[in-house]
Amino acid sequence: MRIAVIGGGPGGLYFAALAKQLDPTREITVWERNAPDDTFGFGVVFSDETLSGIETADPAFYASLASSFARWDDIDVRYRGEVVTSGGHGFAAVSRRLLLSLLVERCRDLGVVLHHRTEFPGDHGAYDLVVAADGVNSATRRSLAAEFRPKYETGDCRYIWLGTDKVFDAFTFDVLETEFGVMQAHAYPYDTHGSTLIIEMRAEVWERAGFTDENAIERIGALFGDLLGGHKLVSNNSKWIDFTTVSCERWQHGNVVLIGDAAHTAHFSIGSGTKLAMEDALALVACLAEQPDLELALTAYEVERKPVVVSTQRAARASLDWFENLADYVGQEPLRFAFNLLTRSRRITYDNLKLRDPEFVARVQASGTPPMFEPFRLRGLELPNRIIVSPMDMYSAVDGMPNDFHLVHLGARALGGAGLVMTEMVCVSEPGRITLGCTGLYTDEQGDAWARIVRFAHDNGAKIGVQLGHSGRKGSTRLMWEGMDEPLPEGNWPVVGPSPLPYGPGSAVPRELTAADLAEITAEFVASAVRADRAGFDLLELHCAHGYLLSSFLSPLANLRTDAYGTDRLKFPLEVFDAVRAVWPAEKPMSVRISATDWHAGGVDADEAVRIAAAFAEHGVDAIDVSTGQVLAAERPAYGRSYQTPYADKIRNSVPGPAVIAVGAISSYDDVNSILLAGRADLCAIGRAHLYDPHWTLHAAAEQEHRMAWPAPYAAGSRKPQTGRTDGPKPRLELLRGNDSGTRHQRWRPETP
């Protein structure tokens, strides 16, 4: 097989060495435009996990690399005159120039042909396989853009990559508050002589500070003098640049395949660029060995690696966003700030840090109680812990009446230990229902039925809240499992909205509400709130999210009115809130659920969500329940673990006053503890996990060995079951072919001639 590798960086060279080692009959040629010792970085960071893969794949190369490692376990966070240290992180770094020289030497020893200072001739057809490892500015990706379909997202920060002769003894983050704004340094050692230093800040801070490529070293040396301690800075063609996240819809076309930065990039703050490139190389070589032909091998490579890369990019995006919004967190005290920084990407969590550095977590935690079990107060409502059973529509009512199903459903969760149990969206009128199966509070009989459920919750020590809403233009639709958001096949009722705009293709066109209609709907909310109080609910939440009526007034994609209710899209939701607050008892709290982004261009975004939350705060809301989307059918959500938490985080750290509730794909108590201890939210609403396990909170307490009261009839089950060990020795094949990152490893042995 004839193989061309375009690009002589770590990914391309590592692929060439592994591929040649596994099959010496392959003709492998590397084309690199720069000299062998040209590099524009300083140090490369590896986690222990990545190093284990390198050692398994090529012990000889690993041995030559390991002798030059700078190793450390600590992360130092320098912030407001303090240094907070967390240990147990297990990093190693090496000079990028040395890494490249070792890879070049390895390739030459194996018989790989290297052409430096030479552009690839451009004839893909002359080879059986072309591996494009030509970096973030990949000419290969650009020339085949129609096939690879790349996407580029540029961040809001500027950064510069420098070196220094100071040898740091930890991975160091230095946060500097200046007259121009917040700046940060990322620093780590790479050998006994020097360290990498990356300086990053938002573009507007960079502009105010008057940085240029020419004055960078002088200005940075002065600003970060305390960090550098008199040591000098070194440039290597260093320039201020924006970070661009590259992703490709496809990674292979014909005989051409992308690896490393040519296929994807991930923000440097999680140290993933070289790691991903080398893991790509390893996986590609494995697939070539395992599959019967090239087409299947390249397909298998992409199928195997893309989920791993997407997961890493998601974590890197969270880290990038955190640093872009660093100014939101500089009010936190040093220990919490350090915990927040360490857990920013969601790769490191509360439990993970407890394993790495239990003393650090103990210092951050005010008590030995897991954060989720700290009590919380909203007005006169004392919650025993920070867990909320999120509102979840059950579509099981008849004529708006809650029934035995709702008693059992909510009753089971009331027995499950959560600090607060929320009803589904309870509709304030018959035409305000989403479906025929939605519950209501528009009759006294419905109020009596809810009172029965509330009594059960209270009799068993639980707190229970009601969520009031009106379906708006998303009403008169089928039950969720019959076709979510699809209109009823018959028996439809008219739907209403701020403007005559349907939710999506096939949706009913709503009638534009008049001022008289708005007054009538406000009165319906008030009447339902009065019934909710009579039923005994402890908290009332106003549903201003998910594209229902109040939400549609907030969104510029649904509200095109030219009257006061359009020029001020907050006007009607705030009028309803004020009217309900006026009749809701003063000692009982009110929350508001909002969609913090419409996931669509031109819609509500994070900045506007902050303004919406601030407006409700001015009107006396006690908590903001931060959800996202479902405002129009054409949305493009960025789903993922805890994917809505960054919006809660931004509101909590931007809007003083109300508590903030995080919701959305939060399913583990570890994530809950991480969110709370980092200060990203005050409470966490858990939905689907409570469908899976009604006693989720009780079980989380048992897993964490936290003592909490169980319902007396269930007390015998309150101890965590003891099980025998089942984690015996793993088969050798498993040890060689897999690790937690999803990258497959195989011990490579060249064939004996």
Side-chain angles (χ1 to χ4, degrees):
M1 176 181 276
R2 298 191 71 224
I3 302 175
V5 179
I6 308 173
L13 292 172
Y14 191 51
F15 168 83
L18 291 178
K20 187 69 171 177
Q21 183 186 177
L22 184 64
D23 184 355
T25 66
R26 289 171 171 151
E27 297 179 26
I28 303 177
T29 305
V30 177
W31 305 84
E32 170 55 51
R33 65 190 305 178
N34 296 309
D37 57 351
D38 280 352
T39 180
F40 303 109
F42 294 91
V44 176
V45 180
F46 295 105
S47 67
D48 285 346
E49 178 186 82
T50 303
L51 290 175
S52 70
I54 293 174
E55 182 179 16
T56 301
D58 189 343
F61 169 66
Y62 174 82
S64 64
L65 188 65
S67 62
S68 303
F69 283 149
R71 288 187 175 273
W72 70 94
D73 289 325
D74 291 348
I75 295 177
D76 284 350
V77 179
R78 298 167 57 97
Y79 169 70
R80 293 197 164 180
E82 294 190 32
V83 179
V84 178
T85 300
S86 172
H89 295 280
F91 289 104
V94 68
S95 160
R96 184 176 175 87
R97 180 171 279 113
L98 176 62
L99 173 64
L100 288 174
S101 69
L102 291 174
L103 284 168
V104 165
E105 181 181 351
R106 184 68 171 144
C107 285
R108 285 175 174 158
D109 288 346
L110 292 166
V112 174
V113 178
L114 303 175
H115 293 300
H116 284 93
R117 300 188 183 88
T118 308
E119 296 280 0
F120 176 66
D123 185 4
H124 296 159
Y127 296 88
D128 299 301
L129 173 64
V130 176
V131 178
D134 46 349
V136 64
N137 297 311
S138 170
T140 309
R141 182 184 65 234
R142 191 166 55 248
S143 68
L144 294 171
E147 284 72 30
F148 294 129
R149 296 189 283 279
K151 184 172 70 173
Y152 306 94
E153 295 180 73
T154 301
D156 294 329
C157 283
R158 306 297 301 275
Y159 74 97
I160 191 167
W161 204 294
L162 300 167
T164 174
D165 62 353
K166 177 175 181 175
V167 180
F168 290 91
D169 56 8
F171 201 121
T172 301
F173 295 98
D174 189 22
V175 177
L176 193 65
E177 297 172 74
T178 75
E179 61 184 301
F180 313 109
V182 182
M183 305 176 185
Q184 63 262 19
H186 312 244
Y188 56 87
Y190 59 78
D191 61 20
T192 57
H193 305 292
S195 301
T196 292
L197 180 72
I198 305 169
I199 305 297
E200 183 183 27
M201 66 200 72
R202 288 189 67 91
E204 59 267 25
V205 176
W206 180 84
E207 290 172 1
R208 286 195 294 266
F211 281 113
T212 65
D213 293 341
E214 290 71 30
N215 70 15
I217 286 184
E218 178 185 355
R219 296 293 309 283
I220 291 169
L223 284 164
F224 287 88
D226 287 345
L227 174 69
L228 292 167
H231 289 268
K232 68 178 181 179
L233 291 172
V234 180
S235 174
N236 183 3
N237 197 31
S238 303
K239 299 181 185 300
W240 291 102
I241 56 176
D242 306 308
F243 186 84
T244 300
T245 300
V246 177
S247 56
C248 291
E249 192 173 320
R250 295 189 61 196
W251 294 3
Q252 46 95 14
H253 172 70
N255 68 331
V256 181
V257 64
L258 305 177
I259 69 170
D261 284 355
H264 47 73
T265 60
H267 193 248
F268 54 81
S269 60
I270 65 169
S272 59
T274 301
K275 160 191 165 70
L276 288 176
M278 294 180 72
E279 288 183 349
D280 283 354
L282 200 156
L284 179 56
V285 173
C287 291
L288 289 171
E290 295 165 355
Q291 299 298 326
D293 59 48
L294 181 64
E295 182 179 356
L296 289 173
L298 299 187
T299 299
Y301 157 72
E302 185 170 337
V303 168
E304 178 180 319
R305 284 297 294 161
K306 187 173 281 187
V308 178
V309 169
V310 168
S311 175
T312 302
Q313 286 187 312
R314 189 180 298 121
R317 181 73 221 192
S319 181
L320 180 156
D321 288 343
W322 195 92
F323 281 110
E324 286 187 344
N325 296 291
L326 185 58
D328 291 346
Y329 309 113
V330 293
Q332 291 184 331
E333 56 86 20
L335 277 171
R336 173 164 280 194
F337 179 87
F339 181 90
N340 194 350
L341 186 153
L342 292 173
T343 59
R344 68 194 181 279
S345 73
R346 304 193 285 275
R347 285 291 180 94
I348 296 177
T349 64
Y350 171 86
D351 272 3
N352 190 263
L353 272 175
K354 282 185 72 175
L355 288 173
R356 297 181 185 210
D357 190 347
E359 291 81 9
F360 169 74
V361 174
R363 289 170 62 207
V364 180
Q365 222 169 293
S367 67
T369 302
M372 65 181 287
F373 293 112
E374 294 285 353
F376 195 79
R377 190 174 187 84
L378 291 168
R379 292 203 184 209
L381 178 62
E382 184 77 26
L383 300 178
N385 59 63
R386 307 297 184 93
I387 301 301
I388 298 173
V389 176
S390 192
M392 294 176 283
D393 289 323
M394 293 290 105
Y395 307 109
S396 299
V398 177
D399 295 329
M401 286 287 289
N403 51 44
D404 287 350
F405 174 89
H406 300 87
L407 174 65
V408 173
H409 166 66
L410 292 170
R413 276 101 198 135
L415 293 169
L420 178 68
V421 177
M422 289 297 300
T423 70
E424 61 192 84
M425 185 178 99
V426 178
C427 303
V428 298
S429 68
E430 186 174 11
R433 291 177 297 168
I434 309 165
T435 74
L436 291 169
C438 290
T439 58
L441 255 174
Y442 47 86
T443 71
D444 291 341
E445 291 77 15
Q446 292 164 352
D448 292 341
W450 280 116
R452 175 188 178 215
I453 295 170
V454 171
R455 282 194 300 273
F456 181 89
H458 287 168
D459 288 348
N460 288 278
K463 310 296 184 182
I464 184 166
V466 62
Q467 185 188 71
L468 293 184
H470 186 295
S471 61
R473 66 178 185 169
K474 293 180 73 176
S476 191
T477 57
R478 305 181 188 206
L479 304 181
M480 180 179 65
W481 47 87
E482 294 175 351
M484 187 172 178
D485 297 325
E486 295 180 14
L488 290 168
E490 59 183 7
N492 296 90
W493 58 89
V495 296
V496 296
S499 302
L501 299 172
Y503 169 71
S507 298
V509 177
R511 176 177 64 83
E512 183 172 306
L513 290 163
T514 66
D517 294 328
L518 298 180
E520 181 180 348
I521 290 172
T522 301
E524 291 169 347
F525 271 96
V526 168
S528 294
V530 170
R531 292 188 183 95
D533 178 43
R534 288 176 186 159
F537 284 106
D538 301 297
L539 173 145
L540 186 149
E541 179 166 283
L542 199 62
H543 201 339
C544 297
H546 300 170
Y548 299 121
L549 183 62
L550 299 181
S551 170
S552 62
F553 269 87
L554 293 171
S555 174
L557 301 177
N559 184 353
L560 301 183
R561 299 172 75 103
T562 56
D563 64 1
Y565 293 103
T567 56
D568 178 6
R569 287 180 275 110
L570 270 158
K571 181 176 172 60
F572 182 55
L574 288 175
E575 284 180 355
V576 174
F577 177 86
D578 290 343
V580 171
R581 181 69 269 183
V583 300
W584 189 245
E587 71 277 8
K588 291 185 178 183
M590 275 187 66
S591 62
V592 171
R593 175 170 278 203
I594 66 170
S595 283
T597 175
D598 289 345
W599 298 114
H600 195 282
V604 170
D605 59 13
D607 291 334
E608 185 162 7
V610 168
R611 293 192 288 273
I612 291 170
F616 279 108
E618 290 175 4
H619 284 246
V621 75
D622 300 293
I624 305 290
D625 188 356
V626 186
S627 188
T628 65
Q630 300 180 54
V631 174
L632 72 166
E635 68 176 3
R636 292 291 181 269
Y639 291 121
R641 173 171 147 245
S642 306
Y643 72 106
Q644 295 176 158
T645 299
Y647 297 94
D649 187 355
K650 186 170 184 64
I651 289 171
R652 188 183 187 277
N653 288 285
S654 302
V655 180
V660 170
I661 304 168
V663 66
I666 304 169
S667 58
S668 74
Y669 61 77
D670 186 20
D671 282 339
V672 170
N673 286 328
S674 300
I675 290 166
L676 296 174
L677 195 56
R680 298 182 183 116
D682 300 288
L683 300 147
C684 287
I686 311 293
R688 287 176 173 83
H690 275 120
L691 294 180
Y692 179 77
D693 179 3
H695 304 108
W696 186 90
T697 306
L698 293 177
H699 294 156
E703 289 288 335
Q704 296 172 83
E705 299 182 350
H706 172 74
R707 294 175 65 89
M708 69 177 291
W710 281 51
Y714 291 176
S718 63
R719 292 186 178 182
K720 181 181 176 182
Q722 300 298 312
T723 59
R725 290 180 60 88
T726 59
D727 55 343
K730 294 182 180 180
R732 178 173 175 79
L733 183 62
E734 183 179 346
L735 289 172
L736 296 180
R737 292 179 58 79
N739 72 358
D740 291 340
S741 73
T743 300
R744 297 160 64 175
H745 303 308
Q746 183 172 337
R747 187 174 297 282
W748 306 111
R749 297 186 180 87
E751 295 179 5
T752 303

